Amino acid sequence: QVKLVESGGGLVQAGESLRLSCVASGRTFNGYTMAWFRQAPGKERQFVAGVSWNGNDTFYADSTKGRFTISKDNAKNVVLEMISVQPVDTAVYYCAAGDYYRDEWKYWGQGTQVTCSS
């Protein structure tokens, strides 16, 4: 059974940092892009950042470029480092695995809540 399990969400003050982690299991993910999406209340889910399974390529939304960094720290762990978190970053953050270029995401985690207060 494929599982993507997120952790690291929580409540932060504006300007603080946060580290989200996603552990993938249940199959090999060679050729997949691992990504983070987020969904704020009343808004559509949006792409945040992605990394190729071999770690060589990264992708970012314009809104997070320069503040968020995605990486793979071992074979099946994907990390999103968030610096200078702002209230607009408040959302449920989801880990996903799929094809970045086709915008097709086959596997999803349950999400972790990030809340930033001003």
Side-chain angles (χ1 to χ4, degrees):
Q1 180 182 4
V2 175
K3 286 187 177 180
L4 302 179
V5 181
E6 305 97 334
S7 62
L11 174 64
V12 295
Q13 300 290 318
E16 293 183 340
S17 300
L18 200 61
R19 186 176 189 265
L20 304 183
S21 180
C22 172
V23 178
S25 63
R27 62 158 294 156
T28 59
F29 290 89
N30 292 336
Y32 279 75
T33 297
M34 304 301 295
W36 288 93
F37 286 75
R38 67 185 181 185
Q39 187 167 20
K43 295 189 177 181
E44 293 187 354
R45 190 175 298 185
Q46 65 174 185
F47 175 82
V48 173
V51 59
S52 58
W53 189 247
N54 60 14
N56 289 343
D57 299 306
T58 56
F59 316 96
Y60 292 96
D62 288 342
S63 60
T64 60
K65 196 176 300 183
R67 292 191 303 121
F68 293 5
T69 303
I70 191 169
S71 64
K72 289 181 76 272
D73 66 356
N74 62 36
K76 291 188 174 181
N77 196 18
V78 182
V79 172
L80 185 69
E81 300 277 2
M82 306 163 61
I83 65 170
S84 190
V85 179
Q86 301 299 316
V88 294
D89 297 317
T90 294
V92 177
Y93 283 70
Y94 297 91
C95 181
D99 188 323
Y100 171 78
Y101 294 103
R102 295 187 177 187
D103 196 20
E104 295 176 351
W105 303 96
K106 186 172 184 178
Y107 302 109
W108 292 88
Q110 293 299 307
T112 185
Q113 176 71 47
V114 172
T115 303
C116 179
S117 61
S118 58

